[in-house]
Structures are given as structure tokens and as C-alpha cells.
């Protein structure tokens, strides 16, 4: 394939300097590359705004107006009209044109190109002005508008009434790219811009011209990336048609089908590359086949103290289907705090046991492992399955016994911490490994766990309470299957969330005392972002002191838990609180990971602005587990950044973890989303948005799956285009299978 790549700098009107600016802004240096930089919105050039409706702000407007007066200014101020005739324009600093359209008047302001613009406007007449209005000294003004003589501007095709492609998702009919060149249209693309572009004179209008040149130079050489049968199957327009219309739409419909095609393409290849890895792995590793549900499962199920929620049932079915499939399961289980993941873990583990295997459940902390063990043992009682707990503090004699029990298979389910992955822990036949709160485990540790079974890897279930928007999960964990428990068990009370500042602190303490008097307990949490940060401990210590002053012993009992305590002391204090002996637990964020104290009704989070949204959400989930009303108070300093403020407001407004995650993603973009720091996105998305195109993302994933179902290695002739595309540099997909 002879790909003629025109360098941007050789395009008409570009040159080396502008080419450099374009490269700095978009990271592309060829005309083909430039074609993949899409407008982020469109201006409908046939739509005019009356001057009386012009408001300052982000939106571009187009006004059709007559020039009423033109003023020139130099360093001394206004230049008298009689001086203008013999004026050398090099002393002019600014020009102002006052324009009117019958509904009102406004200014057009120029600091550059004044001579030329003056000659154009000073004669009067009617023009179309296009640009971003700003209010300046009480008057509406557009700085450096684009200007067109009225006749020229209105010679396009008939009026079209809407301009933005942002939501265009209609499926386009396949259209053949017949028409040559770029027909005139009333839509004009508005491209991302930056300081560098502006400084090198690449205004919106210039950018459009450059795109036109790029299109002329490179469009004929654009190779289709999606095979014909897929274009037909998904009713996608051909690449060249899409590229032409994304930049210069012929019509609203053409724009919609171009947008759809290009978004689909991005998401499809993203998913194709991720799923291809998944297929590679599931084909290579033969999973342990678990055809039965087994007696233990049934016994446990029939003696549950409550009916499973619909979501729990659905997820268990998904897991069960994976485990009997003969392929290794790699599933991410997402469920909000309190959604009942433990139950799902237990029933899944029992499927493994029912098929002659063992299961392990690994938790990130000793406290959590103990808690899991306690709960799980309760559920296991009717089954006769033997469970054990293995942590760093398990005594040597007991440890030996457990090791033996795992090796001879008498222990069916082992719960524990990192101690589980030590080399001397060997299983008779490990069939399922469950990891709770996945993001706390390192890559290496998980990999070790997967190797605990000799002949083939165990099924893997990763549980996380950090809600990740589904679309993001599909991408970040694209090679894992994702299950979501999107329903809380009945009877949970909403948690009232309030924003508090220092001025309200005494009132807060009074309120906590009332709750304690009513037999309830309270958490007070301090940030400890870096465990070594002196400041944080200083704050914590001051805080504890203050709380002791306000809640003196007797009658109040305060338990303290933080990272500097040794395990024994930590466990002791934690136990004091969970058993109800202590009224208040003062803690750093260690409690984030799952203690269950149903009697606690108040969660106070100090310096809440320093916590991430999902952390706040996790912490809040610690209350409202009992039958009483619960409160979460987010304490912040009086001064808050705008972003912090809207985050706190979001927390006060909703309790839905997925909504919080979605909003967080919208506010900050997916790259910054908490719990996902381990990865940027595997490819850069130029047109699709994980936040906005979730439906399309699922469709693209299904489409990719269907292709791989038939041709897992993409080696059949009809898929040559796909494997060619995936070999391009831009798909630098990391292998998540080795991470999770
Ligand atoms: P998670 O680990 O997802 O945060 P847990 O598994 O700890 O949640 O469950 C939270 C609480 O809800 C536990 O006390 C558990 O006994 C209870 N629970 C779980 N499933 C149900 C259900 N289907 N109906 C009622 N209560 C349930
Ligand atoms: Mg849990």
C-alpha cells in the first residue's frame, strides 16, 4: 500500500510555523492525521441571532447588521475623523465598529488587521459577523469576529435550523461517497483551539480552510478501516463519506451518520482490542469446568435469612454460567457499599466446593478478613463446609493445621489477607479465587494467587465497592466481564448528608450527644492521605484532644484507630466500637474498607474536601445499615474551591454511588476518576465520549464480540482490515489480564 502522506506544512496556507503549532496542539503532522481532529461543535451559519438576544458567554453567535459608525484609537485615545484620511495605520491600536440590526446595537472590536478591516467596513453596508460575544464596559462586543458581506454569506443552500452534532446518534443509511469535493453547507465546524494556534494566526476560519486543504490532499488516500460486511451490518457510512461530512456537513442527516460512524469506529476498535486479549486468554487457559451447583449451595440458599435481591440473583446466574462454561472466569463484581456482595461471594465459593474444588476469599485488611470470616461462617453453618481464617496474626500451630487442611482438601473455603498468597500456602485444588476491594492489591500479589492451582488457573472474581461508571469499567477492565449489583437490599434507610463548617461545630457535638443518649454510635473520620504526613497526624491528634474535651469520660467512651497503631491495638479498639462499648470511633480512613456497625448512625468526615468522591461515598456507606435514620456530616473549611464545593453539593444531593461516579467523570473527565489511577485510557478518543456515549459503547462492544466469536484471531480474509487497523501505533493497549 503506497500511502501518500502530505505533511501539514505543505498544505496551502500553512507553512512550517503553523504546522508546528498544529502539531503542538493536536499531535499530528500529516494531512491524514489532521482529518482525525474533528469539530467539537458546529455553527449553523444560516441561523442569525438578533442583537437584542446576544449574551456574553461561551456560545458563538452570528449577527446580521449594518455598520453604523467606525472609530479608531491610538495610544492617546480616539482619532478625530478628519485625521483619518492621511492616517498611517501603524499607530492605530484599536478599532471599534458600532453595528445595528433593528433590534439593537453592539460593537465589533479589532486589535489587529485594522487597515484591511477598516477599508472593508468604513464604507458602511450590511455584514454577517460571527464570533464569541463578551460584555465589555457595559456593551456587548465581539473581538475579531469573522466578517462576510451579506450577499456572499447567504448564498448557501436553504435554511437549516439546528447546528450542533453533539447528540447525533441516529443510525445513518449507508451512503456511497459519490460527490466530489466539498459541497457548500450552512454548517461550519468549530475546532478545538489553543493559545499556540491563536498566536500563529490560526483562527476558526483559518482552521476551516486548513481542513479543507487537508481534505483535498488526503481524503482520496484514506483507507476504509471497517470491512464491508460490518458497514452493512451496523449501517455505517463509508470512511471517506464520514470524514468529508464530519468536517463539511452536507446536511443534518449526513452529519448525524458521519458522527455515528466515527464514534462507532473509535469505540469498536477500542473494544475489539480489549476483547481480543480476553479471547486470547480464554482460549489459552482451559478453565475448570464446574457443571453442578452442588448440594452445599442448595443447603445454604434454602436457609438464607432473607430472599436475595433481584440483582444478587442475576449476578449469581452470570457467575454460575461462567463457571460451568469450561473457560476461565475473569469477572469484576461491582456493587455499592451494602449491596450484599458477601452473599454472592459465599454462594459462588459453594459452587466451587460443590464441584470438588476449594475457594479462597482475600480481603485487604485483617479487620475485614475477620469480619468476612464471621459472616461467612454463619452462612456456611447449614452446609457442613469447613472454612478457616488465615491472616498475618494466625498463630503458628493453627497456621500449620490450616496449611494441612488446604493441602488435603478438608478446608473448603479459606478467608484471609495477604497471608493467603505466601508460597507455603498450597491448595489441593483451588477452583475459585475471590478478591475483595481489588484496588488495594498489587499486581504481583494477584498474579501469585492465580498461580495457586497447578494444572490451570482458578476462576477469578474481583469484587469492588468503588463504583465505576459501566462504560468506564468496560474500558478499564475491558477484558474482564463486568457484573453489577445495582440494587440495595430492602430496608436500608437513606442517609441525610449535610455540609458543615466550623461555625456549626458545637451544634454538631450537641447532636452527637443526643444520638449517643438514644443508644447510637458515631464515626469521626480524619483524612490521612499520605500516611507519613506529619500535618495529618497533627490534625488528628488535635482533633482527638478536642473531642475528648467535648466528650469526657465518663460517661463517653472514645475508641481511636489509625495507621500508627499496631495491629493488636487497632483490633482491640475496633472491637470496642463494633461491640458497642465505645460511643465514638475516631479514625483515619482505615474504616473505609468495610466495617459493619449497624448501630452507628452518624458519620462525621473532617476536611471532607480532601477526600475523593468515591472515598466519601464509601465512608458514608458505613452508616444507615441498621434500621434507624442516619446522618453524614461533611465538615470543610469555610473557603472552598468551586470544584470542591460542587463535589460536596453532589454528595449532599445523591446517595447513588454510580450516579456519583458518573457525575465525577463528567466533572473531571475519566482520566482523573478515582480508583482508576492505574490507567489512563488505552486509546485516545477523539469524538466518542465514555460519559455520553454509553449506549453506543455497549453496542460497539457487542459488535466486537460478534466478530471475535467467529474469528478470534482476526485471521479470516474478511477481517484483514481489522487486524491491519489494530496494528497501528495508536492502539497501545495495556494487557489488563496480567493486572487483574
Ligand atoms: P457489601 O459487601 O456489598 O458492602 P454486605 O455483603 O456486607 O455488603 O451486605 C450488607 C448487609 O446487607 C449485610 O448485613 C447483609 O447481611 C445484608 N444483606 C445482604 N443481602 C441481603 C438481602 N438480599 N436482603 C437483606 N439483607 C441483605
Ligand atoms: Mg463488603
Amino acid at each position: 500500500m503506497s500511502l501518500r502522506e502530505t505533511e501539514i506544512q505543505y498544505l496551502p496556507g500553512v507553512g512550517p510555523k503553523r504546522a508546528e503549532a498544529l502539531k503542538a496542539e493536536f499531535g499530528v503532522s500529516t494531512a491524514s492525521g489532521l482529518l482525525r481532529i474533528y469539530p467539537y461543535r458546529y455553527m449553523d451559519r444560516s441561523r442569525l441571532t438578533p442583537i437584542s438576544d446576544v449574551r456574553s458567554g461561551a456560545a458563538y453567535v452570528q449577527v446580521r447588521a449594518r455598520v453604523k459608525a467606525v472609530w479608531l484609537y491610538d495610544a492617546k485615545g480616539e482619532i478625530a475623523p478628519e485625521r483619518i484620511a492621511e492616517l498611517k495605520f501603524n499607530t492605530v491600536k484599536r478599532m471599534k465598529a458600532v453595528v445595528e440590526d433593528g433590534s439593537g446595537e453592539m460593537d465589533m472590536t479589532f486589535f489587529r488587521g485594522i487597515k484591511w478591516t477598516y477599508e472593508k467596513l468604513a464604507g458602511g453596508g450590511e455584514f454577517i459577523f460571527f464570533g464569541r460575544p463578551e460584555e465589555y464596559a457595559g456593551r456587548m462586543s465581539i473581538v475579531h469576529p469573522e466578517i462576510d458581506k451579506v450577499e456572499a454569506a447567504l448564498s448557501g443552500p436553504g435554511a437549516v435550523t439546528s447546528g450542533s452534532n453533539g447528540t447525533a446518534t441516529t443510525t445513518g443509511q449507508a451512503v456511497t461517497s459519490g460527490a466530489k469535493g466539498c459541497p457548500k453547507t450552512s454548517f461550519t465546524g468549530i475546532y478545538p483551539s489553543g493559545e499556540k494556534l491563536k498566536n500563529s494566526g490560526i483562527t476558526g476560519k483559518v482552521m476551516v480552510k486548513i481542513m479543507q486543504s487537508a481534505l483535498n490532499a488526503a481524503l482520496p488516500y484514506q483507507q476504509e478501516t471497517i470491512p464491508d460486511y460490518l458497514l452493512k451490518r451496523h449501517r455505517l457510512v463509508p470512511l471517506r463519506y464520514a470524514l468529508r461530512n464530519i468536517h463539511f456537513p452536507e446536511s443534518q442527516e449526513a452529519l448525524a451518520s458521519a458522527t455515528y460512524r466515527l464514534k462507532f469506529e473509535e469505540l469498536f476498535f477500542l473494544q475489539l482490542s480489549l476483547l481480543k486479549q480476553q479471547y486470547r486468554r480464554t482460549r489459552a487457559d482451559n478453565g475448570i469446568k464446574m457443571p453442578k451447583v452442588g448440594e452445599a449451595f442448595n443447603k445454604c440458599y434454602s436457609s438464607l435469612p432473607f430472599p436475595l435481591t433481584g440483582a444478587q440473583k442475576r449476578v449469581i446466574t452470570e457467575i454460575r454460567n461462567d463457571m460451568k462454561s469450561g473457560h476461565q472466569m475473569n469477572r469484576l463484581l461491582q456493587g455499592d457499599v451494602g449491596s450484599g456482595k458477601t452473599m454472592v461471594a459465599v454462594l459462588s465459593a459453594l459452587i466451587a466446593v460443590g464441584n470438588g474444588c476449594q475457594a479462597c476469599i482475600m480481603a485487604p485488611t485483617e479487620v475485614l478478613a475477620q469480619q468476612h470470616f464471621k459472616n461467612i461462617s454463619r452462612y456456611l453453618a447449614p452446609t457442613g463446609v469447613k472454612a478457616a481464617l488465615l491472616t498475618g496474626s494466625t498463630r503458628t500451630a493453627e497456621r500449620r493445621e490450616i496449611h494441612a487442611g488446604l493441602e488435603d482438601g478438608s478446608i473448603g473455603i479459606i478467608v484471609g489477607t495477604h497471608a493467603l498468597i505466601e508460597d507455603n500456602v498450597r491448595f489441593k485444588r483451588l477452583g475459585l479465587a475471590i478478591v475483595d476491594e481489588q484496588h488495594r492489591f498489587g499486581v504481583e500479589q494477584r498474579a501469585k494467587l492465580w498461580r495457586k492451582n497447578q494444572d490451570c488457573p482458578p476462576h477469578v472474581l474481583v469484587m469492588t465497592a468503588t463504583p465505576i461508571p459501566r462504560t468506564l469499567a468496560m474500558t478499564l477492565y475491558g477484558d474482564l466481564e463486568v457484573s453489577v449489583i445495582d440494587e440495595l437490599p430492602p430496608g436500608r434507610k437513606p442517609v441525610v448528608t449535610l455540609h458543615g463548617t466550623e461555625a456549626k461545630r458545637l451544634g454538631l457535638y450537641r447532636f452527637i450527644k443526643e444520638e449517643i443518649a438514644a443508644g447510637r454510635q458515631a464515626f469521626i473520620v480524619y483524612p490521612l492521605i499520605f500516611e507519613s504526613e506529619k500535618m495529618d497526624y497533627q490534625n488528628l491528634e488535635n482533633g482527638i484532644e478536642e473531642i475528648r474535651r467535648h466528650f469526657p469520660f465518663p460517661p463517653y467512651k472514645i475508641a481511636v484507630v489509625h495507621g500508627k497503631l499496631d495491629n493488636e491495638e487497632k483490633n482491640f479498639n475496633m472491637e470496642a466500637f463494633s461491640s458497642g462499648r465505645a460511643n465514638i470511633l475516631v479514625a483515619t480512613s482505615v474504616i473505609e474498607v468495610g466495617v459493619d456497625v449497624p448501630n452507628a448512625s452518624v458519620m462525621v468526615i473532617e476536611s471532607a474536601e480532601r477526600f475523593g468522591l468515591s472515598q466519601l461515598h464509601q465512608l458514608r456507606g458505613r452508616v444507615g445499615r441498621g434500621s434507624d435514620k442516619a446522618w453524614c456530616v461533611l465538615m470543610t473549611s469555610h473557603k472552598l474551591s468551586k470544584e470542591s464545593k460542587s463535589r460536596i453539593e453532589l454528595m449532599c444531593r445523591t446517595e447513588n454511588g454510580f450516579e456519583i461516579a458518573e457525575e465525577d467523570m463528567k466533572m473531571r473527565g475519566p482520566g482523573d476518576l478515582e480508583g482508576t489511577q492505574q490507567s489512563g485510557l488505552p486509546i485516545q478518543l477523539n469524538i466518542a465520549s465514555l460519559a455520553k456515549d454509553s449506549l453506543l459503547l455497549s453496542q460497539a462492544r457487542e459488535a466486537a464480540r460478534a466478530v471475535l466469536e467467529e474469528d478470534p484471531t482476526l485471521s479470516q480474509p474478511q477481517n484483514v482490515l481489522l487486524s491491519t487497523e489494530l496494528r497501528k501505533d495508536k492502539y497501545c493497549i495495556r494487557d489488563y489480564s496480567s493486572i487483574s
Side-chain angles (χ1 to χ4, degrees), residues 251-267:
S251 65
Q252 180 101 355
E253 292 69 39
L255 176 58
S257 53
T259 306
Y260 183 80
R261 140 87 207 212
L262 294 171
K263 282 185 177 180
F264 186 94
E265 181 186 42
E266 264 182 12
L267 297 170

Side-chain angles (χ1 to χ4, degrees), residues 341-342 372 436-437:
K341 293 185 291 295
T342 313
H372 269 319
D436 195 9
E437 311 285 359

Side-chain angles (χ1 to χ4, degrees), residues 304-310 312-313 333-345 368 371-372 375 378-379 436-437 463-465 485 487-492 593-596 598 618 621-622 625:
L304 284 179
F306 40 68
L308 294 182
T309 62
Q312 283 172 317
K313 281 186 197 156
L333 172 58
Q334 283 195 59
D336 218 333
V337 186
S339 60
K341 293 185 291 295
T342 313
M343 203 60 250
V344 172
L368 259 185
Q371 195 175 306
H372 269 319
N375 291 336
R378 213 171 55 211
Y379 296 132
D436 195 9
E437 311 285 359
M463 303 198 294
T464 171
I485 307 187
E487 181 186 351
L488 291 181
R492 270 186 67 98
V593 280
V595 288
D596 205 358
Q618 296 275 308
R622 299 297 124 212
R625 308 196 132 203

Side-chain angles (χ1 to χ4, degrees), residues 357-361 390 402-409 411-415 420-433 448-449 451-454 458:
C357 294
Q358 294 157 295
C360 71
I361 301 177
L390 183 66
I402 290 173
H403 285 173
L406 288 173
E407 278 180 58
D408 68 20
I411 294 176
I413 298 176
I414 180 87
V415 180
L420 289 178
I421 52 180
E422 279 162 24
D423 287 335
N424 55 7
V425 178
R426 280 180 291 268
F427 291 83
K428 182 166 183 223
R429 187 161 173 75
L430 180 63
L432 172 67
K448 263 185 161 175
L449 192 55
R451 287 194 289 270
K452 285 281 179 197
N453 197 42
Q454 278 83 30

Side-chain angles (χ1 to χ4, degrees), residues 470-489:
R470 193 176 170 81
T471 54
L472 194 58
M474 267 190 245
T475 304
L476 297 176
Y477 304 96
D479 74 325
L480 302 189
E481 298 298 321
V482 180
S483 287
V484 179
I485 307 187
D486 48 9
E487 181 186 351
L488 291 181

Side-chain angles (χ1 to χ4, degrees), residues 382-394:
T383 67
V385 172
K386 189 173 171 198
L389 175 70
L390 183 66
T391 70
S393 55
T394 307

